[in-house]
Amino acid sequence: MLASFLTAMQTLVGYTNVSYEYQGSQTYAWVEVIAEYDRHWVRDGWGNLICFDWIYSWGTYQCQCLVNGEWRSGQIDYTPWPWMSVSPDPGYAREYRPQPIPWIQSGNVGFKTMTEWNNLQSDVLAGTKRNLVGIPVFG
């Protein structure tokens, strides 16, 4: 009985075998989409094709159009006469969009004191870490 009483009186000093997940870096990648008039490209008064460098509808993304088998942006045609020998309308475009931020496993980071554990819990509440686990250590 005395042993169980002494065990109950021990204080929590920290956690061992601590692990969690943290957020990695934001990455970007080209995403192919169907080319849309007035979003990815337009024609000037002479019918010359102009592919936008940037689009702004859901944020600011770089943009390119697939024209004659090449990814291009800017003014494509420079024909001085209306509708003579201009490039066809692009069927596809690509946008340089942010990708989902990855979660990276920390692995076992060992023992953490109560102060360190509380700081990790604050990070979890802030959303920069998740799945915080550890084995309580009493002393």
Side-chain angles (χ1 to χ4, degrees):
M1 180 144 174
L2 180 61
S4 64
F5 178 72
L6 290 175
T7 302
M9 295 300 294
Q10 291 181 343
T11 59
L12 181 62
V13 294
Y15 289 82
T16 190
N17 294 332
V18 173
S19 66
Y20 52 86
E21 293 178 334
Y22 60 94
Q23 287 184 315
S25 302
Q26 177 75 62
T27 59
Y28 288 77
W30 287 106
V31 177
E32 288 188 33
V33 295
I34 301 295
E36 297 177 30
Y37 183 80
D38 239 4
R39 176 177 161 86
H40 300 106
W41 62 277
V42 293
R43 297 236 179 235
D44 67 9
W46 298 103
N48 294 313
L49 177 63
I50 301 169
C51 292
F52 298 138
D53 295 317
W54 299 92
I55 57 172
Y56 304 97
S57 54
W58 294 298
T60 303
Y61 303 132
Q62 283 182 285
C63 171
Q64 295 177 336
C65 295
L66 186 61
V67 180
N68 297 324
E70 293 181 39
W71 292 108
R72 303 193 49 197
S73 60
Q75 185 162 352
I76 308 303
D77 301 318
Y78 294 93
T79 304
W81 299 102
W83 307 104
M84 291 185 59
S85 179
V86 294
S87 299
D89 293 349
Y92 295 94
R94 64 181 184 178
E95 301 169 357
Y96 200 60
R97 290 189 182 177
Q99 300 300 297
I101 298 173
W103 287 96
I104 302 167
Q105 294 181 356
S106 69
N108 184 352
V109 295
F111 178 80
K112 295 293 177 190
T113 65
M114 286 307 298
T115 302
E116 293 170 319
W117 179 262
N118 290 337
N119 288 339
L120 288 170
Q121 284 184 320
S122 295
D123 291 341
V124 169
L125 288 174
T128 59
K129 290 185 174 57
R130 68 180 187 184
N131 297 332
L132 175 62
V133 294
I135 300 171
V137 175
F138 295 93

